[in-house]
Amino acid sequence: MSAPVDKERSLIDAALAVREHAAAIYSGFKVGAALLDSTGRTWTGCNVESSSYGLSCCAERTALFKAISEGVRDFETIAVVAGGNGVATPCGACRQVLHDYAPKLKIMLHNPDTNESRSMPLSELLPHAFSEANLKGTGR
Ligand code: THU
């Protein structure tokens, strides 16, 4: 049974390919993400930086927003690739937004410089998450 491994490898490959488009013009830290939806389609995104640094968008949210804006709402796995030391995990903002739309998401991380990889559920990265459920009962 090599199919799941092939699927995971191709998701990493898609993240590596889109990372080439990263507009990391200030940080130089290029990130690529590839998000697999429940129909098997892959949505890719890279980080896009702004001269007003805080307006920059991470690769994970770029991929997620692309998919959502095309009407996709069910996701299975996201692959995130970045260099530097160790394997970069999604930032806090991305963890929250990913949780809002895909609380059961599987996260695959890969560093092509060191060839390190790690996988974990999003729930491990964002335990006790704030969510839509907390908004209920506010009278709004
Ligand atoms: N970045 C991502 O794209 N994803 C992350 O999970 C962490 C950080 C980007 C944001 C910024 O463009 C650069 O990496 C350095 O922080």
Side-chain angles (χ1 to χ4, degrees):
M1 278 287 284
S2 61
V5 174
D6 290 347
K7 209 163 127 182
E8 293 185 353
R9 183 67 237 178
S10 55
L11 207 57
I12 297 278
D13 286 344
L16 285 168
V18 74
R19 181 172 177 252
E20 296 297 316
H21 301 301
I25 48 183
Y26 301 102
S27 71
F29 190 75
K30 296 185 169 202
V31 186
L35 181 61
L36 183 68
D37 73 22
S38 58
T39 71
R41 194 163 170 195
T42 296
W43 301 86
T44 59
C46 62
N47 52 333
V48 181
E49 297 184 349
S50 167
S51 58
S52 181
Y53 299 166
L55 301 182
S56 303
C57 191
C58 293
E60 297 91 322
R61 275 175 290 146
T62 304
L64 181 68
F65 293 161
K66 279 172 67 178
I68 288 175
S69 62
E70 295 294 327
V72 179
R73 286 295 180 99
D74 293 312
F75 304 101
E76 290 184 356
T77 307
I78 190 168
V80 183
V81 299
N85 289 326
V87 282
T89 56
C91 77
C94 288
R95 292 178 198 197
Q96 179 65 50
V97 180
L98 289 170
H99 183 275
D100 290 333
Y101 291 93
K104 297 197 168 127
L105 196 67
K106 177 182 176 185
I107 298 185
M108 295 168 49
L109 308 170
H110 179 66
N111 182 336
D113 298 341
T114 62
N115 207 28
E116 287 172 273
S117 298
R118 277 191 68 187
S119 294
M120 71 278 296
L122 174 60
S123 59
E124 192 177 300
L125 292 180
L126 195 64
H128 312 290
F130 178 79
S131 78
E132 184 189 20
N134 296 112
L135 299 174
K136 304 255 162 73
T138 57
R140 289 169 193 271

